[in-house]
Amino acid sequence: MVLRRLSVAGISLAATLAAAVLAAAPTAAATPQTPRPATGSALAQAAPDIDVAKVQAHLTELNNIATRNGGNRKSSGQGYRDSVAYVKNKLQAAGYTVTEQPCTSGCAGGAGPNLIAEWPKGDAGSVYMFGSHLDSVGAGPGINDNGSGSAALLENALTLAEQNPDMAARVRFGWWTDEEQGLNGSDFYVNSLSTTERSKIKAYYNFDMVASTNGGYFINHVGSAAAAPMKAYWDSLGLQPEENTEGAGRSDDYSFEQAGIPTSGYAMGAGARKTSAQAAKWGGTANRSYDPCYHQSCDTTNNINSTGLNRSADGIAYTLWKLAAADTTPANDFSLAAAPSSGSVDPGASVSSTISTATTRGSAQTVKLSASGAPAGVTVSFSPASVTSGDSSTMTVATSATAAPGTYSLTLTGTGSVTHTTTFALTVKGTGSCTSQQLLGNGGFENGTTPWTGDTGAIGAHSGQSAHSGSRFAWLGGYGYSAADTLSQPVTVPAGCSRATLTYWLHIDTDETGNVAYDTFKVKVGSTTLTTLSNTDASNGYTQRTLDLSRYVGQQITLTFTAAEDAGLQTSFVLDDAALQTG
């Protein structure tokens, strides 16, 4: 929470959230072990119990980051940038597309970026946003202020991805920079939104200091329509939450209020003192600060109220599910797997694999099995061809004597009320003839992003760089702080060819000086690095690079380009016109 007091504009919060807002739930006895609201709502029962141990694990890592970076995670320091990288990596691994938004005006010098992630399901015109500031003050690691809100928000985002419920509305998450210097990151974000984009945000929920050791249970605008689901959850635990008067105008919800967006959020208090009445209601010590380590070096993992943290994290989940998840019976779903997932065979012989299914949601269903991607001379059959989810089938892959040697990826499909796929890698042994061909798809990046995976936002017609040919290219790196970009593509190199040659055009420009390799560009096949270039290889214009991939003839490989920058000056690695030619 920012220390200085900001004047609060008279923004009306009377906008109705209609059916999305929960009526108050009946009061239930408070207990951290059973934090589910006492309501009969099917949706309330669907809201997950957030594992507070996982939230605390995030706090431990944020504390370690601060320890490695001078004891803090202030917005202009490496501790903040490492915090951004930690949250980003977790979100990307969960399947989110994550955007780093540089704060180009209004922020302190050298401030790191905002981090934005949106779950890509539900009505894009109806967005509920959940945010917290990720920076600390310079005096300490900021584990309650505001690692607590950031970690609770992160675990909620990861749980949403894991649970993957049907969605009625969009959920967007924001981790803000430079809050401690005056709410600057969130203010920049809100001001960057068009009027149309602002109107899509139906409410914003802020979480700042949600684990204060002597804390109370406070809700921003506790009587508003936006606050109703948050209050209902804490009411169900018998907590009798109060208005967050101490935090009014002092955290990132204020940036959204100024734009006329309804706001609410949880807090457990900062430097103000707990009253005798609050101590009688919530426990703790009267006439003592809610957080005795507020803005101090002692704001570490030892400064966390785990019960309050648990109640806050679960209340976020309840609110998120109530507002954005679809109030419907879960659809039937199943999983599909092949064991083994690969096999080798001589031409004229066959190989088999067990195709297993399991009911993962709802009721069991009939699953029809099929295969695609088999080359000439290869047939795939299933016995039986259809199973009830939970049962298995035997797949037989038979080859003729004329089947061409090589490694092929077969796509196995299970079709029921939904469709799932898995793969089987088939290797036909022997040698064969070679057809000269170019194997990479969209190597010039002119046709969208497919079939590239990874940080595909690097692909485009970006201003500030130019293509080798056409209008589009891949701009890896160029941030000027610790970051990495990766682009990958799976490729099958046919057997029978004597050589396979990778060519690509690369332009490197840098602000680094000297002959030390601070920033690197690597080309990999699988986990093997074929070549490494760096800022020391910078030059004007594009240079064509060539690599011999003949050792991979007859194999299915994953080709990867990776750029990694350190925390200093920028180096841009601009890639275009990549090709993998056989002969």
Side-chain angles (χ1 to χ4, degrees):
M1 181 188 295
V2 68
L3 181 61
R4 65 184 180 85
R5 181 69 179 231
L6 302 174
S7 62
V8 182
I11 303 293
S12 172
L13 296 175
T16 300
L17 298 181
V21 176
L22 175 70
T27 300
T31 166
Q33 287 72 35
T34 56
R36 299 266 60 83
T39 80
S41 164
L43 183 58
Q45 294 169 359
D49 185 359
I50 303 300
D51 188 345
V52 71
K54 293 182 178 179
V55 181
Q56 290 172 307
H58 299 318
L59 292 178
T60 297
E61 182 55 32
L62 292 177
N63 197 89
N64 291 340
I65 287 171
T67 300
R68 294 193 297 265
N69 291 281
N72 67 72
R73 299 180 301 104
K74 62 183 180 181
S75 62
S76 59
Q78 187 61 38
Y80 177 78
R81 290 188 286 273
D82 287 355
S83 300
V84 169
Y86 174 76
V87 174
K88 181 180 179 180
N89 289 340
K90 290 288 185 181
L91 292 168
Q92 287 181 326
Y96 283 89
T97 298
V98 189
T99 301
E100 293 186 27
Q101 181 195 43
C103 183
T104 57
S105 65
C107 285
N114 292 324
L115 196 67
I116 310 296
E118 182 169 315
W119 189 238
K121 292 188 176 182
D123 181 4
S126 182
V127 177
Y128 291 93
M129 192 160 187
F130 295 73
S132 61
H133 74 87
L134 188 55
D135 64 320
S136 75
V137 294
I143 300 306
N144 184 37
D145 185 15
N146 182 39
S148 62
S150 294
L153 204 63
L154 174 58
E155 192 55 36
N156 264 272
L158 300 180
T159 302
L160 176 62
E162 179 183 7
Q163 297 276 325
N164 192 21
D166 295 329
M167 302 296 290
R170 290 292 176 98
V171 175
R172 185 179 302 160
F173 300 95
W175 287 266
W176 310 119
T177 187
D178 217 35
E179 189 269 0
E180 296 291 4
Q181 302 303 314
L183 320 182
N184 297 325
S186 57
D187 187 61
F188 177 81
Y189 173 81
V190 173
N191 288 332
S192 71
L193 296 173
S194 67
T195 300
T196 299
E197 289 301 313
R198 287 185 188 181
S199 69
K200 293 179 181 178
I201 302 176
K202 304 309 176 186
Y204 170 78
Y205 294 89
N206 195 66
F207 306 97
D208 192 351
M209 303 182 68
V210 295
S212 304
T213 53
N214 192 45
Y217 292 91
F218 302 107
I219 298 178
N220 304 341
H221 309 299
V222 66
S224 69
M230 309 205 79
K231 183 176 184 298
Y233 185 80
W234 274 2
D235 280 348
S236 76
L237 303 181
L239 297 177
Q240 304 174 56
E242 297 179 4
E243 177 64 42
N244 183 19
T245 54
E246 180 192 17
R250 292 178 58 185
S251 194
D252 295 295
D253 53 308
Y254 183 63
S255 300
F256 289 81
E257 285 183 33
Q258 289 182 302
I261 297 171
T263 67
S264 188
Y266 285 146
M268 292 192 69
R273 296 181 180 274
K274 178 174 280 187
T275 67
S276 297
Q278 291 170 341
K281 179 167 60 171
W282 295 320
T285 304
N287 200 35
R288 185 182 183 212
S289 298
Y290 299 119
D291 181 359
C293 286
Y294 175 53
H295 283 188
Q296 298 177 50
S297 61
C298 59
D299 187 10
T300 67
T301 49
N302 294 324
N303 187 46
I304 290 295
N305 177 341
S306 60
T307 298
L309 182 66
N310 187 33
R311 290 166 170 171
S312 297
D314 286 338
I316 295 171
Y318 180 79
T319 302
L320 189 160
W321 251 254
K322 182 59 191 175
L323 296 178
D327 193 358
T328 58
T329 301
N332 297 337
D333 204 353
F334 65 92
S335 62
L336 184 73
S341 59
S342 63
S344 298
V345 62
D346 292 313
S350 63
V351 65
S352 63
S353 176
T354 298
I355 310 304
S356 301
T357 65
T359 301
T360 59
R361 189 167 63 176
S363 303
Q365 59 182 293
T366 299
V367 179
K368 182 180 179 180
L369 301 172
S370 60
S372 60
V378 175
T379 59
V380 182
S381 61
F382 300 90
S383 181
S386 295
V387 297
T388 300
S389 56
D391 294 336
S392 60
S393 173
T394 298
M395 177 185 72
T396 300
V397 182
T399 65
S400 69
T402 59
T407 299
Y408 306 95
S409 179
L410 308 183
T411 299
L412 313 182
T413 301
T415 304
S417 60
V418 294
T419 298
H420 291 290
T421 63
T422 189
T423 59
F424 181 86
L426 171 68
T427 299
V428 181
K429 300 177 183 178
T431 59
S433 60
C434 175
T435 300
S436 179
Q437 58 184 311
Q438 198 288 108
L439 302 175
L440 274 186
N442 193 23
F445 307 107
E446 299 298 323
N447 301 311
T449 60
T450 304
W452 297 100
T453 59
D455 297 299
T456 54
I459 299 173
H462 307 290
S463 60
Q465 296 288 350
S466 59
H468 174 256
S469 67
S471 61
R472 291 163 57 85
F473 50 89
W475 185 351
L476 308 180
Y479 298 104
Y481 52 82
S482 180
D485 285 324
T486 297
L487 290 176
S488 297
Q489 183 176 146
V491 183
T492 298
V493 185
C497 296
S498 62
R499 66 181 184 276
T501 304
L502 173 68
T503 59
Y504 59 95
W505 291 85
L506 186 67
H507 168 54
I508 305 175
D509 70 54
T510 185
D511 291 336
E512 304 281 9
T513 58
N515 294 316
V516 178
Y518 297 108
D519 310 316
T520 60
F521 176 87
K522 295 183 179 181
V523 182
K524 294 182 177 182
V525 169
S527 60
T528 301
T529 299
L530 304 181
T531 189
T532 301
L533 301 168
S534 73
N535 51 278
T536 63
D537 299 296
S539 62
N540 294 327
Y542 280 88
T543 300
Q544 188 178 40
R545 310 277 179 172
T546 302
L547 290 171
D548 184 5
L549 271 59
S550 300
R551 78 187 84 167
Y552 300 105
V553 167
Q555 300 181 41
Q556 186 176 59
I557 63 174
T558 298
L559 177 67
T560 301
F561 297 99
T562 298
E565 289 185 277
D566 70 357
L569 302 172
Q570 76 86 27
T571 301
S572 296
F573 301 94
V574 187
L575 176 69
D576 203 358
D577 294 332
L580 179 53
Q581 184 69 42
T582 61

